[in-house]
Amino acid sequence: MTILDDLTVAPAAPDLRRATAELRRLKEEVGRGPDPAATRRQHDKNKLTAHERLELLFDDDSFTEIEPLRRHRASGFGLEARKPHGDGVVIGWGLVHGRTVFAYAHDFRVFAGALGEAHAAKVHKVMDLALAAGAPLVSLNDGAGARIQEGVTALAGYGGIFRRNVAASGVIPQISVMLGPCAGGAAYSPALTDYVFMVRESAQMFITGPDVVQAVTGERITHNGLGGADVHASVSGVSHFVYDDEETCLQDVRFLIALLPSNNREAPPAVPCDDPADRRTDALADLVPADPGRSYDVRAVIGEIVDDGELLEVHETWAPNIVCALARLDGRTVGVVANQPAALAGVLDIHASEKAARFVSTCDSFNIPLVTLVDVPGFLPGVDQEHNGIIRHGAKLLYAYCNATVPRISLVLRKAYGGAYIVMDSRSIGADLSFAWPTNEIAVMGAEGAANVIFRREIAASDDPEALRARRIEEYRSELMHPYYAAERGLVDDVVDPGDTRRLLIRSLAMLQAKHAEIPSRKHGNIPT
């Protein structure tokens, strides 16, 4: 028999069209999920499916899924009879405002989104791809934690995720979106990322659930009361943003991505701006009272300065005595740190120091210039603050500013007293430019407190203590706290017209755009903890 004869009797090749049609049916089945009832249960909880969420996150028809057919290899406890494709997580990449972004999304309909070996391997794969490609990574979290039936293998899968979170930290933006439960060790991955979004009622995060808390401590509490979105947004500070529904949440995730660079080697994307760069900001003179004791909302000040009044405030309800926001000036992203006189008179305390330090560090990681608006009476006094480590926590903000190499501009709106003045990016700790409005008071402390200390004995011995105190207060204010004292000594670069604020900041940032700072040769600094 010849070779030709062998070929004529070989089995017929499979029909490619028929095989392709079968593949299409299989993938459609995988996309629909394990069964329609599971999808209905998800929708009944006002929750979207993994694929529906990814459609909202990415530009239309831009998501490419990988490993949709993967199955677990585990056996025992009934797992050998349940091997759904995808293994409870959808991974891939797509475009957000035309830029590549990677994502993984838990599918609660499959094993309640619990993580096993195959599930973890998929997440590891997409994290590695995001880091290699230098593109942001978004995790859409809706899972029941480790898959108990797979034992320690599942725990090892989480270890691989945590290690990759740390490796990517400061290299690519990492955004966690909490759309369902996240308990136990699983909660540490979001905590390691740059930003955490949460949806009310649907999302909870905790290390030990309400049942364990009650068993150990006797305290009774609900899931949302223990680890709901509002708790983490206003009490613990774990969540940066909180929303009522998934659609609005994912819309703001897209907005955040638009403000960030793809990685630490790039600048944030610039966008066309219709708000004139030389627009006068005369309204600021009415927004900020000259009396340093009167309150105002610094967010209105920020809104008047930045492009189109648009800003994305980070940690809006946690440590409200300081405002941290991302915005744009002349189409370029900036990070704004501002004392908030409308909350605790704008003092720095433990939480405010932590909040601002993290924000400053994140902006520095991703080449986002910093604008600091200063109106601070000092650090919050009190036994609780001292005993809980205000020294350590205040040092975090000081460290973050001193360590930052991005362009840094500070502007003193009114008062800047004591150590808090130094910490709020003063010239002495490395601000590139420092300006002040003509209402500024920069001093060790307020005139009243200073006079009471310096002239304490003289006032006590006076026949008219109150009259002498008033004279000494005015004397101290006129000699050491007049608006030009710091400028005369080169501690601020200029005293400026509030109406020129926007134009001056934009010109200054344009000048500093090519700033290059030499970094000491070291493995890493030792940040205060």
Side-chain angles (χ1 to χ4, degrees), residues 206-384:
F206 35 68
I207 299 301
T208 55
D211 293 340
V212 176
V213 169
Q214 183 177 352
V216 174
T217 70
E219 299 171 286
R220 298 175 62 91
I221 193 167
T222 65
H223 285 78
N224 279 320
L226 181 63
D230 287 312
V231 168
H232 285 308
S234 60
V235 180
S236 73
V238 171
S239 175
H240 300 80
F241 307 98
V242 62
Y243 299 89
D244 290 325
D245 59 81
E246 296 188 15
E247 292 82 359
T248 307
C249 176
L250 291 170
Q251 184 179 358
D252 261 12
V253 173
R254 287 174 54 87
F255 181 44
L256 173 61
I257 291 171
L259 292 167
L260 300 175
S262 292
N263 56 65
N264 65 343
R265 300 182 301 278
E266 299 179 4
V271 300
C273 178
D274 295 327
D275 193 348
D278 60 353
R279 170 173 57 82
R280 293 278 300 175
T281 50
D282 294 313
L284 294 173
D286 299 318
L287 291 173
V288 180
D291 180 356
R294 287 184 58 193
S295 175
Y296 65 93
D297 190 343
V298 78
R299 290 174 295 190
V301 175
I302 299 170
E304 177 65 18
I305 295 170
V306 302
D307 293 353
D308 303 310
E310 190 174 45
L311 61 141
L312 182 63
E313 186 173 351
V314 180
H315 274 143
E316 180 178 353
T317 57
W318 184 59
N321 41 319
I322 200 161
V323 172
C324 299
L326 293 170
R328 289 191 177 100
L329 280 170
D330 199 29
R332 296 185 179 276
T333 303
V334 295
V336 181
V337 180
N339 304 111
Q340 174 58 292
L344 292 177
V347 298
L348 288 177
D349 62 359
I350 287 173
H351 290 330
S353 299
E354 287 188 316
K355 170 180 171 178
R358 171 72 171 182
F359 181 78
V360 168
S361 179
T362 304
C363 287
D364 186 52
S365 293
F366 295 115
N367 307 312
I368 298 173
L370 289 161
V371 173
T372 304
L373 306 181
V374 185
D375 190 351
V376 62
F379 282 94
L380 181 64
V383 174
D384 285 346

Side-chain angles (χ1 to χ4, degrees), residues 27 29-34 42 48-55 57-58 63-70 84-94 101-110 113-115 118-127 129 137-143 147:
K27 288 194 171 182
E29 180 183 319
V30 171
R32 286 194 299 269
Q42 187 80 346
L48 301 175
T49 65
H51 285 97
E52 289 169 342
R53 289 163 174 165
L54 291 165
E55 287 175 7
L57 174 64
F58 289 106
F63 180 67
T64 299
E65 184 177 355
I66 54 176
E67 296 200 9
L69 303 180
R70 187 149 189 171
H85 290 103
D87 204 47
V89 66
V90 180
I91 67 170
W93 75 90
V101 173
F102 289 80
Y104 66 89
H106 297 144
D107 190 342
F108 197 83
R109 301 171 301 170
V110 178
L115 179 140
H119 180 126
K122 291 180 65 174
V123 175
H124 297 167
K125 174 68 174 287
V126 77
M127 295 180 79
L129 282 172
L137 174 69
V138 179
S139 63
L140 304 181
N141 296 271
D142 185 9
R147 194 174 300 168

